[in-house]
Short mmCIF file of all heavy atoms in Angstrom, two decimals:
data_model
loop_
_atom_site.label_atom_id
_atom_site.label_comp_id
_atom_site.label_asym_id
_atom_site.label_seq_id
_atom_site.Cartn_x
_atom_site.Cartn_y
_atom_site.Cartn_z
N VAL A 327 -17.93 -1.88 -10.93
CA VAL A 327 -17.16 -3.11 -10.54
C VAL A 327 -16.71 -3.77 -11.85
O VAL A 327 -17.55 -3.91 -12.85
CB VAL A 327 -17.93 -4.14 -9.70
CG1 VAL A 327 -17.04 -5.40 -9.48
CG2 VAL A 327 -18.35 -3.52 -8.47
N LEU A 328 -15.50 -4.14 -12.06
CA LEU A 328 -14.97 -4.98 -13.06
C LEU A 328 -14.26 -6.16 -12.52
O LEU A 328 -13.52 -6.06 -11.65
CB LEU A 328 -13.83 -4.16 -13.93
CG LEU A 328 -14.25 -2.94 -14.64
CD1 LEU A 328 -13.03 -2.31 -15.34
CD2 LEU A 328 -15.33 -3.25 -15.77
N ILE A 329 -14.64 -7.28 -13.20
CA ILE A 329 -13.94 -8.56 -12.81
C ILE A 329 -12.97 -8.95 -13.82
O ILE A 329 -13.44 -9.18 -15.04
CB ILE A 329 -14.99 -9.69 -12.50
CG1 ILE A 329 -15.99 -9.25 -11.41
CG2 ILE A 329 -14.28 -11.02 -12.10
CD1 ILE A 329 -17.17 -10.14 -11.24
N LEU A 330 -11.74 -8.90 -13.55
CA LEU A 330 -10.71 -9.26 -14.62
C LEU A 330 -10.38 -10.74 -14.41
O LEU A 330 -9.77 -11.06 -13.56
CB LEU A 330 -9.48 -8.33 -14.47
CG LEU A 330 -9.67 -6.87 -14.26
CD1 LEU A 330 -8.33 -6.14 -14.18
CD2 LEU A 330 -10.49 -6.28 -15.28
N VAL A 331 -10.86 -11.54 -15.40
CA VAL A 331 -10.70 -12.95 -15.30
C VAL A 331 -9.38 -13.36 -15.89
O VAL A 331 -9.05 -13.08 -17.12
CB VAL A 331 -11.78 -13.75 -16.03
CG1 VAL A 331 -11.57 -15.24 -15.94
CG2 VAL A 331 -13.15 -13.40 -15.35
N VAL A 332 -8.50 -13.72 -15.05
CA VAL A 332 -7.07 -14.02 -15.39
C VAL A 332 -6.95 -15.46 -15.71
O VAL A 332 -7.64 -16.40 -15.06
CB VAL A 332 -6.10 -13.70 -14.29
CG1 VAL A 332 -4.82 -14.31 -14.26
CG2 VAL A 332 -6.00 -12.18 -14.09
N SER A 333 -6.18 -15.87 -16.78
CA SER A 333 -6.04 -17.27 -17.03
C SER A 333 -5.08 -17.92 -16.11
O SER A 333 -3.97 -17.62 -16.08
CB SER A 333 -5.50 -17.39 -18.51
OG SER A 333 -5.91 -16.30 -19.33
N ALA A 334 -5.64 -18.73 -15.25
CA ALA A 334 -4.80 -19.35 -14.26
C ALA A 334 -4.25 -20.69 -14.71
O ALA A 334 -4.92 -21.45 -15.44
CB ALA A 334 -5.57 -19.60 -12.96
N GLU A 335 -3.01 -20.92 -14.32
CA GLU A 335 -2.38 -22.09 -14.76
C GLU A 335 -2.75 -23.32 -13.81
O GLU A 335 -2.97 -24.37 -14.42
CB GLU A 335 -0.85 -21.96 -14.59
CG GLU A 335 -0.08 -21.85 -15.79
CD GLU A 335 1.37 -21.39 -15.39
OE1 GLU A 335 2.24 -22.34 -15.04
OE2 GLU A 335 1.67 -20.21 -15.46
N GLN A 336 -2.72 -23.03 -12.55
CA GLN A 336 -2.97 -24.20 -11.73
C GLN A 336 -4.07 -24.00 -10.76
O GLN A 336 -4.47 -22.80 -10.48
CB GLN A 336 -1.60 -24.56 -10.91
CG GLN A 336 -1.04 -23.45 -10.18
CD GLN A 336 0.41 -23.53 -10.00
OE1 GLN A 336 1.14 -23.34 -10.90
NE2 GLN A 336 0.80 -23.84 -8.81
N LYS A 337 -4.60 -25.10 -10.23
CA LYS A 337 -5.74 -25.02 -9.22
C LYS A 337 -5.16 -24.43 -7.96
O LYS A 337 -4.11 -24.83 -7.45
CB LYS A 337 -6.20 -26.42 -8.99
CG LYS A 337 -7.41 -26.53 -8.17
CD LYS A 337 -8.72 -25.98 -8.80
CE LYS A 337 -9.85 -25.88 -7.66
NZ LYS A 337 -10.04 -24.43 -7.23
N SER A 338 -5.82 -23.51 -7.32
CA SER A 338 -5.45 -23.03 -6.09
C SER A 338 -5.84 -23.84 -4.98
O SER A 338 -6.64 -24.75 -5.09
CB SER A 338 -6.08 -21.66 -5.90
OG SER A 338 -5.94 -20.72 -6.97
N VAL A 339 -5.22 -23.63 -3.79
CA VAL A 339 -5.67 -24.32 -2.55
C VAL A 339 -7.05 -23.86 -2.26
O VAL A 339 -7.47 -22.59 -2.26
CB VAL A 339 -4.64 -23.85 -1.37
CG1 VAL A 339 -5.11 -24.38 -0.09
CG2 VAL A 339 -3.29 -24.28 -1.72
N ALA A 340 -7.93 -24.77 -1.87
CA ALA A 340 -9.31 -24.43 -1.53
C ALA A 340 -9.33 -23.56 -0.31
O ALA A 340 -8.40 -23.71 0.56
CB ALA A 340 -10.01 -25.80 -1.18
N SER A 341 -10.19 -22.58 -0.23
CA SER A 341 -10.17 -21.58 0.86
C SER A 341 -10.37 -22.33 2.22
O SER A 341 -9.84 -21.85 3.20
CB SER A 341 -11.07 -20.41 0.63
OG SER A 341 -12.46 -20.92 0.45
N THR A 342 -11.33 -23.24 2.25
CA THR A 342 -11.56 -23.98 3.67
C THR A 342 -10.28 -24.38 4.17
O THR A 342 -9.96 -24.18 5.36
CB THR A 342 -12.61 -25.05 3.47
OG1 THR A 342 -13.78 -24.49 2.96
CG2 THR A 342 -12.93 -25.67 4.86
N SER A 343 -9.60 -25.28 3.50
CA SER A 343 -8.37 -25.90 3.98
C SER A 343 -7.26 -24.86 4.11
O SER A 343 -6.37 -24.74 5.06
CB SER A 343 -7.84 -27.05 3.12
OG SER A 343 -7.12 -26.56 2.02
N GLY A 344 -7.21 -23.81 3.20
CA GLY A 344 -6.23 -22.78 3.29
C GLY A 344 -6.36 -21.96 4.51
O GLY A 344 -5.36 -21.82 5.25
N MET A 345 -7.56 -21.57 4.93
CA MET A 345 -7.67 -20.71 6.07
C MET A 345 -7.51 -21.51 7.36
O MET A 345 -6.97 -20.98 8.33
CB MET A 345 -9.04 -19.94 6.16
CG MET A 345 -10.30 -20.63 6.24
SD MET A 345 -11.70 -19.38 6.38
CE MET A 345 -11.96 -18.89 4.66
N HIS A 346 -7.81 -22.84 7.27
CA HIS A 346 -7.43 -23.68 8.37
C HIS A 346 -5.98 -23.68 8.73
O HIS A 346 -5.45 -23.45 9.76
CB HIS A 346 -7.97 -25.08 8.16
CG HIS A 346 -7.60 -26.03 9.29
ND1 HIS A 346 -8.38 -26.23 10.42
CD2 HIS A 346 -6.57 -26.90 9.48
CE1 HIS A 346 -7.72 -27.03 11.27
NE2 HIS A 346 -6.68 -27.53 10.68
N THR A 347 -5.09 -23.92 7.54
CA THR A 347 -3.66 -23.93 7.77
C THR A 347 -3.19 -22.52 8.25
O THR A 347 -2.26 -22.43 9.01
CB THR A 347 -2.86 -24.36 6.44
OG1 THR A 347 -3.66 -25.43 5.92
CG2 THR A 347 -1.58 -24.72 6.63
N SER A 348 -3.82 -21.44 7.70
CA SER A 348 -3.34 -20.12 8.12
C SER A 348 -3.55 -19.96 9.58
O SER A 348 -2.74 -19.43 10.30
CB SER A 348 -4.10 -19.12 7.40
OG SER A 348 -3.75 -19.08 6.00
N VAL A 349 -4.74 -20.36 10.12
CA VAL A 349 -5.01 -20.14 11.59
C VAL A 349 -3.97 -20.97 12.39
O VAL A 349 -3.54 -20.51 13.35
CB VAL A 349 -6.44 -20.55 11.93
CG1 VAL A 349 -6.70 -20.67 13.36
CG2 VAL A 349 -7.47 -19.67 11.28
N GLU A 350 -3.67 -22.09 11.91
CA GLU A 350 -2.72 -23.02 12.59
C GLU A 350 -1.34 -22.45 12.61
O GLU A 350 -0.53 -22.71 13.51
CB GLU A 350 -2.74 -24.40 11.97
CG GLU A 350 -4.01 -25.24 12.08
CD GLU A 350 -4.33 -25.63 13.49
OE1 GLU A 350 -3.46 -26.32 14.06
OE2 GLU A 350 -5.34 -25.30 14.00
N THR A 351 -0.89 -21.86 11.47
CA THR A 351 0.51 -21.50 11.36
C THR A 351 1.03 -19.98 11.28
O THR A 351 2.12 -19.73 11.45
CB THR A 351 1.05 -22.26 10.02
OG1 THR A 351 0.41 -21.69 8.88
CG2 THR A 351 0.92 -23.78 10.16
N SER A 352 0.00 -19.17 10.86
CA SER A 352 0.50 -17.80 10.66
C SER A 352 0.29 -16.90 11.88
O SER A 352 -0.76 -16.64 12.31
CB SER A 352 -0.39 -17.24 9.46
OG SER A 352 -0.09 -15.83 9.41
N HIS A 353 1.45 -16.44 12.33
CA HIS A 353 1.41 -15.48 13.55
C HIS A 353 0.91 -14.19 13.02
O HIS A 353 0.17 -13.42 13.70
CB HIS A 353 2.90 -15.16 13.96
CG HIS A 353 3.61 -16.24 14.60
ND1 HIS A 353 4.40 -17.15 14.09
CD2 HIS A 353 3.59 -16.51 15.99
CE1 HIS A 353 4.85 -18.02 14.94
NE2 HIS A 353 4.36 -17.73 16.16
N LEU A 354 1.13 -13.82 11.70
CA LEU A 354 0.59 -12.42 11.32
C LEU A 354 -0.91 -12.42 11.08
O LEU A 354 -1.43 -11.32 11.23
CB LEU A 354 1.27 -12.23 9.88
CG LEU A 354 2.76 -12.13 9.89
CD1 LEU A 354 3.27 -11.57 8.54
CD2 LEU A 354 3.37 -11.26 11.06
N LEU A 355 -1.59 -13.64 10.80
CA LEU A 355 -3.03 -13.68 10.69
C LEU A 355 -3.68 -13.21 12.06
O LEU A 355 -4.47 -12.51 12.11
CB LEU A 355 -3.44 -15.02 10.27
CG LEU A 355 -5.00 -15.14 10.16
CD1 LEU A 355 -5.43 -14.27 9.16
CD2 LEU A 355 -5.38 -16.64 9.83
N LYS A 356 -3.07 -13.73 13.18
CA LYS A 356 -3.60 -13.38 14.45
C LYS A 356 -3.52 -11.88 14.68
O LYS A 356 -4.49 -11.25 15.16
CB LYS A 356 -2.84 -14.14 15.60
CG LYS A 356 -3.53 -14.12 16.93
CD LYS A 356 -2.76 -14.98 17.93
CE LYS A 356 -3.10 -14.45 19.35
NZ LYS A 356 -4.45 -13.98 19.55
N CYS A 357 -2.36 -11.44 14.47
CA CYS A 357 -2.20 -9.90 14.48
C CYS A 357 -3.18 -9.20 13.79
O CYS A 357 -3.75 -8.11 14.23
CB CYS A 357 -0.68 -9.62 14.15
SG CYS A 357 -0.37 -7.87 13.88
N ARG A 358 -3.30 -9.56 12.51
CA ARG A 358 -4.27 -8.93 11.62
C ARG A 358 -5.64 -8.96 12.21
O ARG A 358 -6.37 -7.91 12.34
CB ARG A 358 -4.32 -9.72 10.29
CG ARG A 358 -5.60 -9.43 9.38
CD ARG A 358 -5.58 -10.07 8.01
NE ARG A 358 -6.88 -10.05 7.43
CZ ARG A 358 -7.43 -8.98 7.03
NH1 ARG A 358 -6.82 -7.84 7.06
NH2 ARG A 358 -8.63 -9.08 6.46
N ALA A 359 -6.10 -10.12 12.65
CA ALA A 359 -7.43 -10.30 13.18
C ALA A 359 -7.64 -9.41 14.46
O ALA A 359 -8.70 -8.70 14.62
CB ALA A 359 -7.88 -11.73 13.42
N ASP A 360 -6.79 -9.37 15.29
CA ASP A 360 -6.90 -8.82 16.67
C ASP A 360 -6.63 -7.34 16.57
O ASP A 360 -7.24 -6.59 17.19
CB ASP A 360 -5.91 -9.45 17.60
CG ASP A 360 -6.20 -10.98 17.94
OD1 ASP A 360 -7.20 -11.40 17.49
OD2 ASP A 360 -5.35 -11.55 18.47
N VAL A 361 -5.54 -6.94 15.84
CA VAL A 361 -5.13 -5.59 15.96
C VAL A 361 -5.59 -4.68 14.68
O VAL A 361 -5.92 -3.51 14.93
CB VAL A 361 -3.60 -5.47 16.04
CG1 VAL A 361 -3.05 -4.18 16.10
CG2 VAL A 361 -3.08 -6.36 17.21
N VAL A 362 -5.59 -5.26 13.45
CA VAL A 362 -5.74 -4.42 12.28
C VAL A 362 -7.17 -4.28 12.01
O VAL A 362 -7.64 -3.20 11.67
CB VAL A 362 -4.86 -4.93 11.05
CG1 VAL A 362 -5.10 -4.07 9.93
CG2 VAL A 362 -3.45 -5.07 11.51
N VAL A 363 -7.89 -5.38 11.83
CA VAL A 363 -9.18 -5.48 11.20
C VAL A 363 -10.26 -4.50 12.00
O VAL A 363 -10.98 -3.84 11.37
CB VAL A 363 -9.81 -6.81 11.02
CG1 VAL A 363 -11.15 -6.78 10.52
CG2 VAL A 363 -8.85 -7.52 9.90
N PRO A 364 -10.32 -4.56 13.31
CA PRO A 364 -11.36 -3.76 14.07
C PRO A 364 -11.28 -2.25 13.52
O PRO A 364 -12.30 -1.70 13.20
CB PRO A 364 -10.95 -3.91 15.46
CG PRO A 364 -10.26 -5.24 15.52
CD PRO A 364 -9.44 -5.31 14.36
N GLY A 365 -10.12 -1.68 13.43
CA GLY A 365 -10.01 -0.34 13.03
C GLY A 365 -10.41 -0.16 11.55
O GLY A 365 -11.01 0.81 11.14
N ARG A 366 -10.09 -1.14 10.72
CA ARG A 366 -10.31 -1.00 9.34
C ARG A 366 -11.89 -1.07 9.19
O ARG A 366 -12.41 -0.47 8.22
CB ARG A 366 -9.66 -2.02 8.62
CG ARG A 366 -8.20 -1.79 8.26
CD ARG A 366 -7.54 -2.69 7.27
NE ARG A 366 -6.22 -2.30 7.10
CZ ARG A 366 -5.26 -3.05 6.59
NH1 ARG A 366 -5.46 -4.32 6.05
NH2 ARG A 366 -3.94 -2.59 6.39
N MET A 367 -12.53 -1.95 9.86
CA MET A 367 -14.01 -2.07 9.74
C MET A 367 -14.62 -0.71 9.86
O MET A 367 -15.53 -0.27 9.13
CB MET A 367 -14.61 -3.07 10.77
CG MET A 367 -14.37 -4.56 10.34
SD MET A 367 -15.24 -5.04 8.75
CE MET A 367 -16.95 -4.98 9.34
N GLU A 368 -14.24 0.02 11.08
CA GLU A 368 -14.76 1.31 11.36
C GLU A 368 -14.54 2.40 10.25
O GLU A 368 -15.39 3.01 9.74
CB GLU A 368 -14.12 1.76 12.66
CG GLU A 368 -15.12 1.98 13.82
CD GLU A 368 -14.37 2.42 15.02
OE1 GLU A 368 -14.09 3.70 15.07
OE2 GLU A 368 -14.05 1.54 15.83
N GLN A 369 -13.28 2.34 9.78
CA GLN A 369 -12.90 3.18 8.70
C GLN A 369 -13.65 3.00 7.39
O GLN A 369 -14.03 3.86 6.75
CB GLN A 369 -11.36 3.09 8.40
CG GLN A 369 -10.44 3.68 9.47
CD GLN A 369 -9.07 3.33 9.11
OE1 GLN A 369 -8.54 2.18 9.23
NE2 GLN A 369 -8.36 4.36 8.52
N MET A 370 -13.83 1.69 7.11
CA MET A 370 -14.55 1.37 5.88
C MET A 370 -15.96 1.75 5.91
O MET A 370 -16.52 2.27 4.93
CB MET A 370 -14.41 -0.21 5.63
CG MET A 370 -14.80 -0.68 4.39
SD MET A 370 -14.02 0.06 2.89
CE MET A 370 -12.81 -1.14 2.62
N ILE A 371 -16.57 1.47 7.05
CA ILE A 371 -18.08 1.77 7.13
C ILE A 371 -18.10 3.36 7.10
O ILE A 371 -19.04 3.86 6.30
CB ILE A 371 -18.60 1.30 8.50
CG1 ILE A 371 -18.76 -0.16 8.46
CG2 ILE A 371 -19.95 1.93 8.81
CD1 ILE A 371 -18.99 -0.87 9.75
N GLY A 372 -17.22 4.13 7.66
CA GLY A 372 -17.19 5.52 7.51
C GLY A 372 -17.01 6.02 6.04
O GLY A 372 -17.71 6.90 5.67
N ALA A 373 -16.10 5.31 5.33
CA ALA A 373 -15.80 5.73 4.07
C ALA A 373 -17.12 5.53 3.16
O ALA A 373 -17.35 6.35 2.18
CB ALA A 373 -14.74 4.86 3.45
N ILE A 374 -17.81 4.43 3.44
CA ILE A 374 -19.02 4.19 2.56
C ILE A 374 -20.04 5.23 2.92
O ILE A 374 -20.63 5.72 1.98
CB ILE A 374 -19.52 2.69 2.86
CG1 ILE A 374 -18.49 1.71 2.33
CG2 ILE A 374 -20.88 2.48 2.37
CD1 ILE A 374 -18.73 0.24 2.93
N ARG A 375 -20.14 5.45 4.17
CA ARG A 375 -21.28 6.43 4.57
C ARG A 375 -21.02 7.79 3.95
O ARG A 375 -21.95 8.56 3.64
CB ARG A 375 -21.35 6.37 6.12
CG ARG A 375 -21.89 5.13 6.67
CD ARG A 375 -23.01 5.29 7.70
NE ARG A 375 -23.71 4.00 7.85
CZ ARG A 375 -23.44 3.08 8.93
NH1 ARG A 375 -22.72 3.49 9.88
NH2 ARG A 375 -24.12 1.95 8.96
N GLN A 376 -19.69 8.06 3.90
CA GLN A 376 -19.37 9.48 3.34
C GLN A 376 -19.10 9.44 1.82
O GLN A 376 -18.72 10.43 1.31
CB GLN A 376 -18.06 9.97 4.03
CG GLN A 376 -18.14 10.28 5.48
CD GLN A 376 -16.83 10.34 6.14
OE1 GLN A 376 -15.81 10.66 5.62
NE2 GLN A 376 -16.85 9.89 7.46
N ARG A 377 -19.31 8.21 1.31
CA ARG A 377 -19.07 8.05 -0.19
C ARG A 377 -17.68 8.61 -0.52
O ARG A 377 -17.52 9.26 -1.57
CB ARG A 377 -20.12 8.68 -0.97
CG ARG A 377 -21.50 8.27 -0.73
CD ARG A 377 -22.45 8.96 -1.72
NE ARG A 377 -23.91 8.68 -1.47
CZ ARG A 377 -24.68 9.36 -0.54
NH1 ARG A 377 -24.10 10.39 0.05
NH2 ARG A 377 -25.85 9.00 -0.30
N ASN A 378 -16.64 8.28 0.29
CA ASN A 378 -15.38 8.72 0.08
C ASN A 378 -14.58 7.57 -0.75
O ASN A 378 -14.12 6.59 -0.10
CB ASN A 378 -14.68 8.97 1.47
CG ASN A 378 -13.24 9.66 1.19
OD1 ASN A 378 -12.59 9.28 0.27
ND2 ASN A 378 -12.83 10.38 2.19
#
Side-chain angles (χ1 to χ4, degrees):
Chain A
V327 178
L328 295 176
I329 300 166
L330 311 185
V331 179
V332 165
S333 328
E335 249 170 85
Q336 55 207 72
K337 183 73 194 101
S338 302
V339 173
S341 58
T342 301
S343 81
M345 67 175 79
H346 176 84
T347 315
S348 291
V349 169
E350 295 288 306
T351 62
S352 170
H353 288 94
L354 301 187
L355 179 61
K356 192 177 153 42
C357 164
R358 159 176 169 71
D360 295 349
V361 180
V362 180
V363 173
R366 284 193 179 165
M367 283 295 294
E368 242 179 84
Q369 288 176 282
M370 185 60 95
I371 290 169
I374 291 164
R375 295 230 162 104
Q376 292 159 35
R377 301 185 187 88
N378 184 333

